[in-house]
Amino acid sequence: MVSSVQILLVGAGIVGCSTAYHLARQGITDVLVVDQGPLPATGGSSSHAPGLVFQTNASETLSRLAADTVRLYSSLEVDGSPCFHPVGGIEVATTPERWDDLHRKLGLATAWGIGGELLDPGQVLERIPGIDADRIHGGLHVATDGIAKPVRAAEAMMREARRLGVRFEGATEVTGFEITGDRITTVRTTSGDVTAETVLCCAGIWGPKIGRMAGVTIPVQPLAHQYAVTTPVLDDGETEVAQPILRHQDRSMYFRQVHDRYGIGSYRHRVMPVRTDELTPTVTPGTEAPSEGGGWKGMASVHPFTPADFAGPWREARRLLPALREAEIGEGMNGLFLFTSDGMPVLGRSEVENFWIAEAVWITHAGGVGRAMAQWLAGRTPDIDLRQADLRRFDDFARSPAYLEQRSAQSFREVYDIIHPQQPPEQPRPLRTSPFHDRQRELGAVFLEASGWERPHWYASNEKLLQGREIARPGEWAGRFWSPIVGAEHLAAREGVAMFDMTSLPRAEVTGPGALELLGRLTTSKIDRQPGYVTYTLMLTPEGGIRSDITVARLERDHFQIGCNGPRDIAWLRDNADATAQVRDITGGTCCIGLWGPRAREVLAALADVDVSHEEFRFFRARRLHVGEVPVVALRLSYVGELGWELYTSAEFGRRLWDLLAGAGHGIFPAGRGAFNGMRLEKGYRAWGTDMWTEHTPDEAGVAFAVKPDKGPFTGREALLRRGEPTRRLACLRIDDGTVLMGSEPVLAGDEPVGFTTSAAYGHTVGASLAYAWLPADLAQPDTHLTVTYFNQPHPVTVIPDPTYDPDMTRMRR
């Protein structure tokens, strides 16, 4: 085996082979792929996966990775045998609720460019002759879905990567790493030591063990999933698969043809977690070679089938497919694969500088993930934004075994559930609470959850604000986790003054003599201003995409407070800092109240020990002051479009700050995130990760005002200067019939899909249902008339000027 290599991949399953293949196609061939098992069927999850590829997902990221995967598998073959069977996929509904959800899901397929159609029961029966059509309301058919041959696809990619110069070594187990500073220098294996510049861990269920060797926690959990193959029941035994794959999501089941039999998978069983330490290394010598029809014995990634857990699903299978009443279970397995706390993959660079991770990747997404990882390892930003899958999205608590066990179990149980975008997880809660939490509970706050934080969405105590107001009500789906109090808080905050708990917004402190240089190099705006100034700015990728938007408050010459979008931002700042700049996450030790509304100055003036008049405390300025006894950093900002301040203090003073403000009079009241979101949308403020991400440039997203190319060098500057006129833009839509959307709905020009919505809410102040949407630039002009489909029903929309509320910014600058 070679003694040194540019990139070493640990794991030759479908992800490792895909990454190696795509690296080789980029011309990067000084690559070694090692696996403890035999090649190409290594004995990991890729070797036993049934191969279903359903592309449509609520996550655009996962849907695009899946579509990428379909294109890749469809292009591969081994000795004339295909690696993908494009038989299509059908999801059926046996309940009215599921049938409604399939109408919504068709919108997702359309929005993400996958396409599909709704079938009536007779049309489903034509495609799957054995189904009991009387038990279903219909189905969602996606013609480009199908069955992958994972081992064959891995072999095809391995052969091509080898032809181009990549080396593969089976029967080679990684036993440890030599680490100097924060870099791996040597990979120790059973076949010898290898010096590597970069290491990628894509070892699947063994990933956590490999991570521990590098001192890295990979937040994934191996779980067992039941899969059984029936005795012969179909007439056509010559063809491996001709019928569309079938999902019966009301019972958490799927079906695929295996020659003259059915393969049946079920998530409707107890959660079966497995510790990585309990896994044997690989296939036991002398056992059967794995195949998708069976032959799983001896594979460490397969545990013995437990018939008792399959009894209920087997009864349901026979009800849906009556032909199965004449069949039996021929063989089965409890196959292991990885789950995460949020159901997304774990991708990206770890805290060890040259140790990368690609774990919890299903066959459905592996082709696309391999391409993205190859782009990343080559020093480019992946052209599919991976914010939802980035390893660094997790806070420290989310890496704990206790958290991972509970949330991954919930992810398993909810694989096929109908999940509302705002539906909060059940456990563990409460996990993160602001110092105001007890006061909020006393006021009847209704909490939803984000990043572990309990966030009030409205307060029962504000029911009195409904008096004399007509609040527009959304439909049944958008109206879940909502109350008319949301609208009342929204309007009352515009009229008077409200206090919003903004503690959950991540923030960091950057200090030291190199702090200014660090921030200047990473951001698009002029940061070198006098202490007391606040700047809204962007951090870009080298390609000019929006990595994040942040606020930078210069409190002292070498002391900056940064308002971020999450742990990824703080990690990025740390990655780029040297010894002259220190980056500290201060979120947990501090708290924040947004004091906003036309009477905000009256409240603050009565409590502050400094003059807060407009002349003495101007817009986008920062000051240290006292609110009563409480030391506060006050930033004159507003994300709801009203006069006001963000008031920060340490957590120990939080309750006192709340009590002082709440008792200040002037009609002040607490308002929740529901009101905040609607007010933000009216004001046209973009939310990073929802409205814009790395695939979008500042011009496209409408935030070019935050870019100052003449300030000097910064990351992404040269790429921006080379860009031409945008071909797409983020535009504001008015839904003309008042329907309230949820986001991710397709936008059509005539019958042609042309874009999709992002943020959506009812603008109670402007009296209109609003949404933002990505559209071709020529359609993003005011007064353009388009259509949005919502639950497969068309709704007329009009592009309108942005923002809809106070476009001259007069209310915040009083």
Side-chain angles (χ1 to χ4, degrees):
M1 192 167 71
V2 297
S3 60
S4 66
V5 70
Q6 179 184 351
I7 301 175
L8 187 145
L9 275 56
V10 183
I14 194 73
V15 178
C17 288
S18 177
T19 304
Y21 169 87
H22 284 100
L23 283 169
R25 287 173 65 88
Q26 293 182 82
I28 300 173
T29 57
D30 187 13
V31 177
L32 173 64
V33 186
V34 300
D35 199 292
Q36 61 190 355
L39 304 177
T42 62
S45 300
S46 298
S47 299
H48 66 69
L52 283 73
V53 179
F54 277 93
Q55 299 166 84
T56 307
N57 194 284
S59 163
E60 185 208 13
T61 299
L62 288 185
S63 292
R64 291 182 60 193
L65 290 171
D68 218 3
T69 298
V70 167
R71 286 189 289 270
L72 174 62
Y73 294 165
S74 298
S75 72
L76 301 173
E77 63 173 33
V78 174
D79 301 331
S81 297
C83 296
F84 186 72
H85 297 288
V87 293
I90 298 176
E91 303 176 35
V92 296
T94 59
T95 64
E97 294 77 15
R98 181 69 64 177
W99 186 227
D100 285 346
D101 192 60
L102 291 185
H103 284 72
R104 180 183 67 89
K105 201 166 185 180
L106 175 60
L108 293 173
T110 305
W112 309 148
I114 296 166
E117 60 179 334
L118 292 173
L119 305 179
D120 63 34
Q123 292 171 313
V124 174
L125 182 61
E126 290 174 4
R127 291 165 174 81
I128 304 176
I131 199 166
D132 183 352
D134 292 335
R135 294 199 68 237
I136 64 174
H137 295 263
L140 172 62
H141 177 232
V142 176
T144 54
D145 289 343
I147 296 288
K149 303 290 292 183
V151 174
R152 191 181 296 163
E155 182 176 4
M157 291 186 286
M158 186 184 304
R159 287 184 181 186
E160 178 63 9
R162 272 178 166 159
R163 186 187 70 79
L164 294 171
V166 173
R167 286 155 289 191
F168 288 78
E169 294 286 346
T172 300
E173 183 179 355
V174 172
T175 58
F177 300 103
E178 184 176 310
I179 299 176
T180 302
D182 59 355
R183 292 181 61 85
I184 291 173
T185 55
T186 303
V187 182
R188 304 199 182 283
T189 81
T190 53
S191 299
D193 293 352
V194 183
T195 301
E197 296 177 22
T198 301
V199 177
L200 171 66
C201 177
C202 44
I205 57 177
W206 291 277
K209 178 182 176 182
I210 301 297
R212 284 195 294 273
M213 293 179 186
V216 172
T217 298
I218 302 178
V220 295
Q221 172 66 57
L223 295 173
H225 159 60
Q226 286 203 302
Y227 179 74
V229 179
T230 70
T231 54
V233 67
L234 297 171
D235 294 333
D236 185 5
E238 296 298 320
T239 303
E240 178 187 348
V241 55
Q243 286 188 9
I245 45 181
L246 168 65
R247 284 208 287 189
H248 180 19
Q249 293 180 289
D250 288 313
R251 290 295 182 270
S252 304
M253 300 175 69
Y254 61 81
F255 304 79
R256 59 150 295 185
Q257 180 185 353
V258 185
H259 295 285
D260 57 357
R261 300 170 290 168
Y262 273 112
I264 306 171
S266 170
Y267 295 93
R268 186 62 66 93
H269 57 76
R270 63 191 168 92
V271 179
M272 305 178 192
V274 177
R275 292 178 53 186
T276 302
D277 295 341
E278 299 170 351
L279 300 174
T280 56
T282 185
V283 178
T284 304
T287 59
E288 299 176 73
S291 69
E292 286 147 67
W296 305 294
K297 295 179 181 178
M299 293 172 57
S301 61
V302 173
H303 283 194
F305 188 64
T306 49
D309 292 304
F310 203 72
W314 181 232
R315 286 192 298 270
E316 182 58 34
R318 288 173 151 182
R319 282 195 286 265
L320 185 66
L321 296 170
L324 293 178
R325 296 168 190 170
E326 306 303 319
E328 300 295 336
I329 300 298
E331 55 187 330
M333 65 168 176
N334 290 359
L336 304 186
F337 63 141
L338 293 177
F339 270 77
T340 59
S341 58
D342 59 4
M344 297 294 292
V346 176
L347 312 175
R349 198 179 77 180
S350 74
E351 57 268 34
V352 175
E353 186 176 335
N354 61 338
F355 185 67
W356 291 70
I357 292 163
E359 296 290 356
V361 180
W362 293 11
I363 299 299
T364 303
H365 311 109
V369 165
R371 189 172 74 88
M373 293 307 301
Q375 292 172 333
W376 229 342
L377 294 174
R380 296 161 51 199
T381 304
D383 53 26
I384 294 178
D385 182 274
L386 298 178
R387 67 195 184 282
Q388 295 176 319
D390 194 324
L391 166 67
R392 297 189 176 193
R393 70 188 184 272
F394 295 111
D395 288 288
D396 284 345
F397 71 86
R399 300 169 182 259
S400 67
Y403 183 88
L404 181 59
E405 180 181 356
Q406 293 181 73
R407 287 293 173 90
S408 62
Q410 184 170 343
S411 292
F412 181 91
R413 288 189 294 265
E414 293 179 348
V415 163
Y416 284 173
D417 285 0
I418 300 171
I419 303 297
H420 191 274
Q422 290 187 312
Q423 181 174 324
E426 298 173 359
Q427 295 295 334
R429 290 182 65 191
L431 181 59
R432 304 173 88 178
T433 59
S434 76
F436 323 130
H437 186 68
D438 287 347
R439 292 291 188 255
Q440 292 164 347
R441 291 179 60 193
E442 292 167 3
L443 295 168
V446 175
F447 295 96
L448 301 185
E449 190 255 27
S451 301
W453 287 102
E454 297 293 321
R455 303 198 308 185
H457 270 243
W458 69 87
Y459 293 83
S461 60
N462 288 331
E463 188 173 6
K464 58 183 178 294
L465 297 177
L466 287 167
Q467 294 177 11
R469 304 182 192 275
E470 290 292 330
I471 304 298
R473 293 176 177 266
E476 192 275 334
W477 181 252
R480 297 184 188 184
F481 306 102
W482 180 87
S483 164
I485 295 173
V486 167
E489 291 178 354
H490 179 143
L491 291 168
R494 292 264 190 247
E495 298 162 358
V497 57
M499 46 197 285
F500 296 78
D501 181 358
M502 305 305 293
T503 301
S504 63
L505 294 181
R507 48 202 167 273
E509 187 178 71
V510 181
T511 57
L516 176 62
E517 189 277 333
L518 170 68
L519 293 169
R521 175 164 39 91
L522 295 183
T523 66
T524 60
S525 303
K526 183 176 173 58
I527 304 297
D528 189 8
R529 308 171 79 184
Q530 291 296 318
Y533 276 80
V534 183
T535 305
Y536 172 82
T537 187
L538 310 175
M539 296 194 293
L540 303 181
T541 68
E543 297 81 4
I546 304 171
R547 178 182 290 276
S548 189
D549 66 336
I550 61 175
T551 54
V552 178
R554 193 173 195 181
L555 303 182
E556 298 169 14
R557 181 178 181 276
D558 296 330
H559 184 174
F560 297 82
Q561 181 172 305
I562 316 298
C564 305
N565 283 300
R568 296 170 73 253
D569 290 351
I570 297 173
W572 179 242
L573 291 169
R574 285 174 174 158
D575 286 347
N576 286 277
D578 59 21
T580 66
Q582 293 75 50
V583 180
R584 186 167 70 97
D585 185 348
I586 62 172
T587 310
T590 56
C591 57
C592 176
I593 290 176
L595 179 69
W596 293 317
R599 305 191 70 180
R601 181 173 286 117
E602 297 171 49
V603 170
L604 189 58
L607 297 169
D609 61 348
V610 301
D611 185 350
V612 295
S613 66
H614 178 67
E615 292 72 23
E616 293 299 319
F617 199 153
R618 302 186 73 84
F619 191 53
F620 264 77
R621 300 294 195 275
R623 291 191 67 175
R624 297 185 188 274
L625 53 85
H626 290 88
V627 173
E629 310 86 356
V630 178
V632 164
V633 172
L635 310 183
R636 192 173 162 196
L637 309 175
S638 171
Y639 283 101
V640 299
E642 297 294 341
L643 168 69
W645 288 263
E646 293 178 359
L647 304 175
Y648 294 90
T649 190
S650 57
E652 63 192 304
F653 293 111
R655 182 179 289 195
R656 181 59 176 164
L657 177 62
W658 177 280
D659 288 346
L660 287 166
L661 293 171
H666 303 286
I668 192 169
F669 65 94
R673 296 289 296 195
F676 173 90
N677 290 335
M679 296 171 78
R680 171 188 74 82
L681 204 63
E682 288 182 327
K683 189 58 186 160
Y685 289 143
R686 280 70 167 134
W688 189 89
T690 301
D691 299 313
M692 57 188 185
W693 45 89
T694 57
E695 296 172 26
H696 306 121
T697 66
D699 277 342
E700 293 172 337
V703 290
F705 64 86
V707 180
K708 311 298 180 188
D710 58 351
K711 77 158 195 169
F714 58 84
T715 300
R717 177 178 181 271
E718 298 307 313
L720 287 187
L721 292 176
R722 292 192 299 268
R723 295 259 185 173
E725 277 295 307
T727 59
R728 61 181 174 181
R729 290 189 184 275
L730 186 67
C732 185
L733 304 180
R734 181 186 66 229
I735 294 75
D736 294 329
D737 63 6
T739 300
V740 179
L741 308 179
M742 290 295 294
S744 300
E745 295 87 9
V747 183
L748 285 70
D751 296 327
E752 182 70 21
V754 293
F756 60 89
T757 62
T758 58
S759 294
Y762 194 83
H764 294 279
T765 317
V766 299
S769 176
L770 304 174
Y772 277 84
W774 281 102
L775 298 172
D778 61 330
L779 296 178
Q781 305 303 316
D783 298 322
T784 302
H785 298 286
L786 302 166
T787 301
V788 167
T789 61
Y790 180 63
F791 285 85
N792 204 37
Q793 295 298 310
H795 299 274
V797 300
T798 301
V799 179
I800 59 175
D802 172 25
T804 61
Y805 179 77
D806 189 30
D808 297 328
M809 302 278 285
T810 56
R811 294 181 68 88
M812 292 190 293
R813 296 177 183 273
R814 297 176 177 180

